[in-house]
Amino acid sequence: MESSIGIVGSGVSGLHLGLFLLANDVPVTMYAQNEPEEIRRGRLLNTVGHHHHTLERERSLGVHHWDAAEYGYVCHHHFIAGDQEVRFRGDFTHPSSVIDYRLYLPRLMEDFQERGGKLVVVDALGVEEVNRLSSRHDLVVAAVGRGGIGDLFPRRDDKSPYDRPQRQLSAGIYNGITYSEPKGVNIHFSPGHGELLELPIYSHDGFATALLFEAIPGGDVEELARVQVDEDPTAYDRLVLEKLRRHFPMAFERVDSTEFGLWSPRDLLQGALTPIVRRDYARLDSGRHALAVGDCHVVVDPVMGQGANSASYSAWTIGEAIVADHVYDERFCERVARRREEFVISVSEWTNLMLNPPPHVLEFIGAMASDKALCDEFTTNFNHPDKQVDVLGTAERTRTFLEMRQAAAVGNRG
Amino acid sequence: MESSIGIVGSGVSGLHLGLFLLANDVPVTMYAQNEPEEIRRGRLLNTVGHHHHTLERERSLGVHHWDAAEYGYVCHHHFIAGDQEVRFRGDFTHPSSVIDYRLYLPRLMEDFQERGGKLVVVDALGVEEVNRLSSRHDLVVAAVGRGGIGDLFPRRDDKSPYDRPQRQLSAGIYNGITYSEPKGVNIHFSPGHGELLELPIYSHDGFATALLFEAIPGGDVEELARVQVDEDPTAYDRLVLEKLRRHFPMAFERVDSTEFGLWSPRDLLQGALTPIVRRDYARLDSGRHALAVGDCHVVVDPVMGQGANSASYSAWTIGEAIVADHVYDERFCERVARRREEFVISVSEWTNLMLNPPPHVLEFIGAMASDKALCDEFTTNFNHPDKQVDVLGTAERTRTFLEMRQAAAVGNRG
């Protein structure tokens, strides 16, 4: 008796799950909206970092094609603009990396097919298609953030504090910016206007810098998310330079303006998203169940670089649960929900907290600025979102944590 | 900065948690209603098996004072009375054991004190006391099944199917019954009247047999739970013998009637309990939180011998969470709830299922009667209640499991 799993979507969660199932001899069909080659030639999809825990899963699946020692980065540089410039660094225990998804996804789709996975490219992937597909499979995993499939899974109001985007986004790949040393992601804060993430990306033409502007609505950076680039790419470059100079001087100082510019209009992605947590699973018309994963389940703002990592973690949890069980009913879905909740919900809570930091979070950032060990821990905990919320979730948690840390330091000196 | 944990109750969950915390240098105070010596001299408390996972925790705590190789048992013998007698055995991978709690609890209370734990014996342990105590501690763990403390934690109607006891209970320690070979717990079914568990117990006067009658209300065995023993112990012995002869002939055949009899009236416990699942935690008047554990959290009928094991598992989960965290707020309580839910709720669901077995469970028992490997697996899974529900939770789960098993057997022969 063979169970068959249907995965709707071919993003990172769908692929990691599909490859996991193939490695465990579970028959699986993946439904995608695009051929690998279309994705390669397409528009920038995101600028997402894969952290160590995700890279470990890639290694275990045999799809870590871009050795983090060569393609990755090892730290976060933090820059706070203002009358007094603040610069501080946090090191990872293990490197992370940013590989353009137009390289990453097609390559893993091909891995999936080469290993015997069935990839079906379909025109549309909506709620209706999911319902129809479900009769062919014991379980459907809904792994598409767009196209309304998320509507299958009701919004969890208790975990979804926002009803609109908290940032307007502009992500693009640029020439003409020197990397910081050591190679890292640079996180710039411009109070009142938002954040800029500078990411050392590897893309179709090699290494470059991705600039992800996280613009606070109503602030001076927001227009980067709205201005059309195709009409006048050079004007867009000038606008970006101007925003860097005014709001992110510690990025601007590494710009060579004669070289500076977007690779091409297709290397820019503009938009905005509303953070949301949806229910873990739904019962379909066929009586079978569908599990939500990735953006179909939880949408987070990209500011903390957690979305893909959370999606991959979640996919792995689903894969392990599938292999361990033999019926994919509500009990199974509840188990998946329980096992991933701490990680996945922490990703959401932590990211939401950083978008609108309360005083105790600002105090913690201040503490990191003068305590590199603390900043290293925070940086490595990009792999442990649950620990980030343990420390930052409430004012009491942060205060107690910092007090215990100080007491331990005194004890060590004593 | 030291956190202090208050444990209310000195049963197995309180003691395992208290000893765990001492081993991890967490200050802890235990509030008990009785001195160890009172418990030693008292009435029979229960007749509960500790399964391998619980014994492993005892070994890790250094309180496994009754080596399972010497004091324990290795299997379950099953007996179904009727025109056609059915006998079948299931072996554990590792032995379990039944130590009289009048030996077990006082010894561990002394271990707790010898290791620096603070034991406070108080007159009353009710809701009021818990509220008052909570101001002295960062967290209170409510580990008393009686005295109304459970009222702090509302009943979970979704997990509590019963509003009355499903069995009337009579548990006593008897002479004059030869053990089965190999040494095991004997499980007797008398359709319509209930179950009898024969347990090889070690108690204050050495080895003996505990008989736990699980009488269906209205059946012919029920009076064992009601007849007063103190007035005429010999009459009670005669009544027990008569019930054995009529309903549990495969126990009766090993009785030497000249030797048979209850050790003493204080070695008998009669009663009944209503299975219930309560909420995991509550916020107290002091603003601190209280976690429920053991019978304060989940009450199961003793028929599957799971209560103490589930309580110990739950205590361990709490201990690990305490050591890993630094604030014992709602986030902490939610984490404990999530981590123990699969095990603890499965104990409840599985036990409730066995009390009123639907057709697919009876079919499974029938399958075990002719498949020793299956019965061994079921027996060892007394350590894995979650796996029992995976297999028995629904008719579809049982059918699919048995089909897969058969397919695998054919494959192995092919």
Side-chain angles (χ1 to χ4, degrees), chain A residues 98-403:
Chain A
V98 180
I99 307 297
D100 190 320
Y101 265 32
R102 294 171 295 179
L103 275 61
Y104 186 86
L105 298 180
R107 178 71 193 270
L108 268 66
M109 288 167 83
E110 288 160 3
D111 290 333
F112 177 79
Q113 289 177 295
E114 282 162 19
R115 296 174 188 187
K118 194 170 162 194
L119 182 76
V120 180
V121 177
V122 294
D123 289 338
L125 280 179
V127 168
E128 201 189 316
E129 286 74 21
V130 171
N131 264 308
R132 204 169 51 235
L133 292 174
S134 75
S135 61
R136 300 182 210 158
H137 300 287
D138 296 306
L139 174 73
V140 169
V141 179
V144 176
R146 294 162 205 175
I149 293 184
D151 296 347
L152 275 170
F153 310 96
R155 170 190 161 115
R156 282 184 63 177
D157 293 335
D158 61 324
K159 300 289 182 193
S160 308
Y162 301 127
D163 60 2
R164 70 195 64 181
Q166 301 299 298
R167 295 291 187 275
Q168 294 289 325
L169 307 171
S170 164
I173 302 181
Y174 296 84
N175 278 331
I177 311 180
T178 308
Y179 286 159
S180 295
E181 272 297 320
K183 194 173 167 187
V185 161
N186 300 340
I187 306 173
H188 303 263
F189 301 91
S190 176
H193 301 284
E195 301 82 19
L196 165 64
L197 275 68
E198 268 186 273
L199 307 112
I201 194 170
Y202 183 77
S203 181
H204 49 83
D205 286 344
F207 287 106
T209 296
L211 296 181
L212 169 59
F213 291 94
E214 291 263 344
I216 293 175
D220 183 52
V221 181
E222 188 182 7
E223 60 183 312
L224 289 181
R226 304 197 189 281
V227 170
Q228 291 293 311
V229 65
D230 301 82
E231 293 165 12
D232 188 348
T234 316
Y236 194 82
D237 289 344
R238 278 199 305 273
L239 190 62
V240 169
L241 264 186
E242 176 56 21
K243 300 299 179 195
L244 289 179
R245 191 186 59 75
R246 197 181 308 166
H247 296 287
F248 306 105
M250 291 171 274
F252 186 74
E253 69 192 19
R254 277 174 288 100
V255 169
D256 174 349
S257 10
T258 61
E259 294 282 330
F260 183 80
L262 194 64
W263 274 11
S264 84
R266 80 172 178 104
D267 296 309
L268 184 75
L269 179 71
Q270 294 163 299
L273 45 84
T274 302
I276 185 173
V277 175
R278 295 197 185 85
R279 294 207 182 281
D280 289 84
Y281 61 93
R283 192 180 159 89
L284 301 173
D285 297 345
S286 62
R288 306 291 170 97
H289 285 78
L291 270 172
V293 66
D295 284 354
C296 207
H297 179 216
V298 177
V299 174
V300 293
D301 187 279
V303 68
M304 291 290 113
Q306 291 292 311
N309 298 282
S310 183
S312 164
Y313 176 96
S314 191
W316 203 262
T317 308
I318 294 171
E320 289 180 331
I322 287 172
V323 169
D325 209 335
H326 60 285
V327 171
Y328 306 118
D329 55 5
E330 187 164 13
R331 175 174 175 81
F332 165 82
C333 292
E334 284 282 1
R335 173 174 289 156
V336 168
R338 196 157 45 232
R339 292 197 179 167
R340 71 185 178 183
E341 184 172 24
E342 187 156 314
F343 193 99
V344 170
I345 299 298
S346 290
V347 160
S348 171
E349 290 183 348
W350 171 43
T351 302
N352 288 342
L353 202 56
M354 302 307 282
L355 286 172
N356 295 294
H360 70 270
V361 171
L362 297 176
E363 191 190 327
F364 185 86
I365 294 172
M368 286 199 292
S370 58
D371 181 344
K372 180 156 183 302
L374 182 65
C375 193
D376 289 350
E377 189 177 330
F378 177 79
T379 302
T380 289
N381 280 348
F382 272 60
N383 290 281
H384 301 286
D386 49 329
K387 293 188 187 172
Q388 305 285 41
V389 183
D390 284 350
V391 172
L392 299 173
T394 64
E396 185 192 5
R397 284 190 164 271
T398 302
R399 192 188 60 238
T400 308
F401 177 84
L402 291 176
E403 282 170 5

Side-chain angles (χ1 to χ4, degrees), chain A residues 1 325-327 329 331 335 338-339 341-342 346 349 386 389-390 396-397 401 403-404, chain B residues 1 325-327 329 331 335 338-339 341-342 346 349 386 389-390 396-397 400-401 403-404:
Chain A
M1 290 221 334
D325 209 335
H326 60 285
V327 171
D329 55 5
R331 175 174 175 81
R335 173 174 289 156
R338 196 157 45 232
R339 292 197 179 167
E341 184 172 24
E342 187 156 314
S346 290
E349 290 183 348
D386 49 329
V389 183
D390 284 350
E396 185 192 5
R397 284 190 164 271
F401 177 84
E403 282 170 5
M404 287 172 69
Chain B
M1 287 222 339
D325 210 336
H326 60 286
V327 171
D329 56 4
R331 175 174 175 81
R335 174 175 290 157
R338 195 157 47 231
R339 292 199 178 164
E341 184 171 26
E342 187 154 312
S346 290
E349 291 182 348
D386 50 325
V389 183
D390 284 350
E396 185 192 5
R397 284 189 164 271
T400 307
F401 177 83
E403 282 171 4
M404 286 171 69

